[in-house]
Amino acid sequence: MDDFLARLNDQEQHRYQKTQRWRARGVNPYPLRVSRTHTARQTLDAFARGEALSGVQLAGRLIALREMGKLAFAHLQDGTAKIQLLFRKDAVGAENYATLVKDFDLGDFIGVEGEIVRTKTGEITLQVTRFELLAKTLSPLPEKWHGLKDTETRYRQRYLDLLSNEPVREIFVKRSKIITAMRTYLDEHGFLEVETPVLQPLYGGGAAEPFVTHHNKLDRDMYLRIADELYLKRLLVGGIERVYEISKDFRNEGIDFKHNPEFTMMECYQAYGDYTTMMTLVEELYAACSLAANGTLQITYQGHAIDLTPPWPRATMRDLILKTSGVDIYADADLPALRQRLAELNLKVEAKPTWGKQVDELFSVFAEPTLIQPTFVMDYPEEISPFAKKKPDTLCARVVERFEAFSLNMELGNAFTELNDPLDQYARFVEQSKQRDAGDKEAHPVDLDFIEALMHGMPPTGGLGVGVDRMVMLLTDQSSIREVILFPQLRT
RNA sequence: GGGGCGGUAGCUCAAUUGGCAGAGCAACAGCCUUUUAAGCUGUGGGUUCAGGGUUCGAUUCCCUGCCGCCUCACCA
């Protein structure tokens, strides 16, 4: 207790002394219950509509206090709005008025009762007849005018950020609306929401390094999931035809403005669909979420006007690479030929170990930056898509039915015509494990349990993954993922 | 991991060539019956991120470390 008090700075000491004065008067500075009849928003709206209100009881934080002798103006902020309060010494009594001035601080929770009036300047104001302390605040809140700007404090003490920066609060309100809209859309289209294991004996479903943990009683290592894919597909084997999960995935990789070690992913699978089904779904999903958050499909992202109205343009990866770099990946459909072509065209591209990765690199460097409006990029190399079916046409044997949607260098979604041939899937796993042996830490491990599931039959299926944090970034015009995650990972 | 910028009062920020560490808000003691970044008078408040070095003297210059932001690389 003494060491707690010793850590308080001078302002906190003053507030503590006030707390003790409340106690000395027999008042609990942290009372158990509150009586509240209206929110600030309800009060303002009702008065504006001309409804007569009396005996209004509000509860919230005292965020400003302007005292002038025998009267004081204040502002109370609750979760809905802020409203001005007027305290008159003659209305509340001299003794009570003195406690307001002496023993309340900015940030304290206060309960007030009174009549709604309009002041000289026209502001709707609660003229207080009675008030009480609801919770004493020991630490001062950030300064009202400049607010809280220090990025580190904003993230580490997000509650202060939410209190003093209204736009921050709005981002997280929008985030909630977006996720609700996503659920509503999927629910209304017959998808069943499920929960699959976060703690897994074998991770999979994506290219990433996992977090490893340990189960003591079982005495074995476990992994935090990097994707939901393989468990959701087991549910398709089990006869659930439309299924989705919105959940945290974990990837043990670098942290930057678009990567957080834990992030929110939506994955959904639709039996008897394919990747074109998923294209329709993803563009409709973005439209529904944008309407819910912004009321429009015309949004601005980092100064660019983006139109989310379906349908979005579609193009093959081959055509986009051809148009932007001059390389036809179907004509040079193996690594030596592709490398030779790059050399002939004098294209400066980092060398990659496989044709598929080289193609992906070409796409990232030349094509992806040109995609401003949301665009479906179709037909990816098989080597970087171990869960997608090969395309049936003979134009190029090395591509699969997969798309990613891009806008402004952001991936909006990733979908496949899902591979359901257990032998082919096994061969892909074996190929991945070779890349693993060759040093690729993100290559996929062989999952025999999943193969066994496929052996029991999975229907033809379209599957989609959407990074929810990235979607929220796009729909709230934020350039950093940390601005859309309440408590982003920082060094500790 | 490389490069750049930054860390000063509760908050937002200053500090000349290396020369007593400051302002506004907040706090404290007062005045004030229509304010709203209220106003006025007065007062207190600092491990200048941490540690080391150079110097008569370091917020300032040098080294190491911690933390944050930007950027490149890695990575989807």
Side-chain angles (χ1 to χ4, degrees):
Chain A
M1 190 61 189
D2 288 343
D3 59 324
F4 177 82
L5 295 178
R7 281 202 303 272
L8 302 182
N9 64 39
D10 64 330
Q11 295 200 39
E12 292 166 339
Q13 292 285 0
H14 278 121
R15 287 170 179 240
Y16 174 72
Q17 293 306 323
K18 294 179 186 184
T19 308
Q20 295 302 80
R21 288 209 290 270
W22 283 101
R23 291 199 166 102
R25 282 195 297 272
V27 177
N28 179 2
Y30 302 98
L32 285 81
R33 268 166 279 280
V34 173
S35 55
R36 182 198 209 192
T37 61
H38 294 72
T39 65
R41 181 84 270 147
Q42 288 167 341
T43 307
L44 294 170
D45 289 350
F47 191 82
R49 283 194 305 267
E51 290 175 25
L53 292 177
S54 68
V56 174
Q57 295 181 333
L58 302 176
R61 273 191 201 271
L62 192 63
I63 57 161
L65 182 62
R66 300 176 291 279
E67 43 130 341
M68 313 168 237
K70 299 187 184 64
L71 104 166
F73 286 96
H75 272 97
L76 175 145
Q77 181 171 296
D78 67 13
T80 64
K82 70 176 182 182
I83 184 170
Q84 183 165 260
L85 308 176
L86 170 56
F87 296 86
R88 297 170 51 141
K89 193 173 186 176
D90 54 14
V92 299
E95 202 171 313
N96 291 330
Y97 190 84
T99 64
L100 173 75
V101 173
K102 293 288 181 189
D103 291 338
F104 271 92
D105 288 295
L106 298 187
D108 288 353
F109 285 89
I110 187 172
V112 293
E113 178 174 355
E115 306 300 313
I116 306 299
V117 298
R118 233 180 242 281
T119 59
K120 240 191 224 177
T121 57
E123 181 164 351
I124 299 172
T125 298
L126 185 88
Q127 185 166 314
V128 176
T129 53
R130 201 180 60 76
F131 63 96
E132 61 184 333
L133 178 64
L134 297 183
K136 190 65 191 165
T137 307
L138 286 184
S139 298
L141 300 181
E143 189 240 336
K144 59 188 170 187
W145 184 244
H146 297 93
L148 178 65
K149 292 188 174 167
D150 180 71
T151 317
E152 188 173 355
T153 308
R154 285 186 50 231
Y155 295 156
R156 289 194 194 276
Q157 294 177 272
R158 185 68 97 172
Y159 46 92
L160 297 178
D161 194 26
L162 291 166
L163 278 173
S164 52
N165 297 321
E166 175 66 21
V168 171
R169 184 192 179 94
E170 286 166 11
I171 288 170
F172 291 102
V173 170
K174 279 191 180 180
R175 180 176 175 122
S176 175
K177 287 180 178 170
I178 287 166
I179 293 175
T180 298
M182 183 178 283
R183 278 210 166 83
T184 301
Y185 177 90
L186 292 165
D187 290 344
E188 286 178 349
H189 286 76
F191 288 85
L192 183 75
E193 182 172 16
V194 299
E195 294 171 277
T196 63
V198 175
L199 203 56
Q200 304 182 347
L202 186 63
Y203 64 95
E209 282 194 69
F211 284 93
V212 184
T213 184
H214 190 79
H215 190 290
N216 290 340
K217 284 293 190 307
L218 297 179
D219 189 25
R220 66 163 297 168
D221 284 344
M222 307 279 283
Y223 303 94
L224 301 188
R225 70 173 158 210
I226 59 168
D228 305 356
E229 173 140 358
L230 301 186
Y231 281 93
L232 293 176
K233 284 183 180 171
R234 285 170 169 92
L235 299 178
L236 283 137
V237 174
I240 300 177
E241 293 188 351
R242 297 189 184 195
V243 65
Y244 75 100
E245 182 165 12
I246 298 173
S247 63
K248 287 280 181 72
D249 289 348
F250 307 84
R251 297 189 179 182
N252 207 341
E253 295 166 354
I255 301 171
D256 63 25
F257 67 96
K258 56 164 71 170
H259 297 87
N260 198 60
E262 61 177 287
F263 60 100
T264 303
M265 179 70 90
M266 188 286 289
E267 288 191 33
C268 65
Y269 294 84
Q270 179 172 343
Y272 313 115
D274 61 12
Y275 77 152
T276 63
T277 319
M278 294 297 110
M279 286 183 211
T280 306
L281 196 156
V282 76
E283 54 193 20
E284 287 184 357
L285 189 65
Y286 269 85
C289 292
S290 184
L291 279 178
N294 301 311
T296 177
L297 301 182
Q298 276 71 46
I299 62 170
T300 300
Y301 188 73
Q302 304 297 296
H304 294 85
I306 300 296
D307 186 358
L308 294 167
T309 307
W312 299 349
R314 305 177 180 192
T316 62
M317 186 176 240
R318 176 220 192 175
D319 288 347
L320 289 169
I321 292 175
L322 184 59
K323 192 171 74 180
T324 55
S325 74
V327 177
D328 182 354
I329 59 171
Y330 288 5
D332 297 308
D334 60 63
L335 189 58
L338 184 58
R339 282 199 174 149
Q340 191 179 336
R341 180 74 62 194
L342 296 179
E344 283 169 16
L345 295 174
N346 199 24
L347 295 177
K348 301 256 185 299
V349 186
E350 193 180 332
K352 295 289 178 180
T354 64
W355 180 81
K357 291 193 173 187
Q358 195 67 65
V359 167
D360 197 34
E361 177 68 12
L362 267 178
F363 174 77
S364 300
V365 171
F366 293 100
E368 190 181 323
T370 67
L371 303 176
I372 308 300
Q373 297 303 319
T375 305
F376 290 113
V377 180
M378 303 160 60
D379 302 344
Y380 276 62
E382 179 196 324
E383 285 159 312
I384 57 170
S385 315
F387 299 105
K389 270 184 186 163
K390 285 172 192 151
K391 278 194 78 69
D393 66 67
T394 53
L395 198 54
C396 178
R398 304 199 63 170
V399 298
V400 295
E401 290 205 346
R402 171 187 182 183
F403 75 76
E404 292 189 296
F406 286 97
S407 172
L408 294 168
N409 282 316
M410 283 223 286
E411 179 196 313
L412 307 184
N414 178 21
F416 315 132
T417 299
E418 301 290 342
L419 182 59
N420 59 351
D421 174 349
L423 268 80
D424 193 351
Q425 184 67 75
Y426 181 73
R428 307 279 188 101
F429 277 155
V430 169
E431 180 53 39
Q432 286 285 313
S433 73
K434 281 182 193 163
Q435 292 182 27
R436 218 177 152 69
D437 293 342
D440 185 352
K441 288 180 179 172
E442 299 192 341
H444 208 288
V446 178
D447 189 337
L448 292 177
D449 191 66
F450 177 64
I451 295 292
E452 186 176 357
L454 289 188
M455 288 170 69
H456 289 85
M458 186 178 97
T461 296
L464 167 70
V466 172
V468 174
D469 310 286
R470 305 268 178 88
M471 178 195 248
V472 175
M473 286 168 68
L474 181 74
L475 297 181
T476 59
D477 194 17
Q478 294 303 308
S479 60
S480 169
I481 198 169
R482 297 187 191 97
E483 295 296 340
V484 303
I485 293 175
L486 281 167
F487 299 99
Q489 187 62 49
L490 302 174
R491 285 172 189 256
T492 48

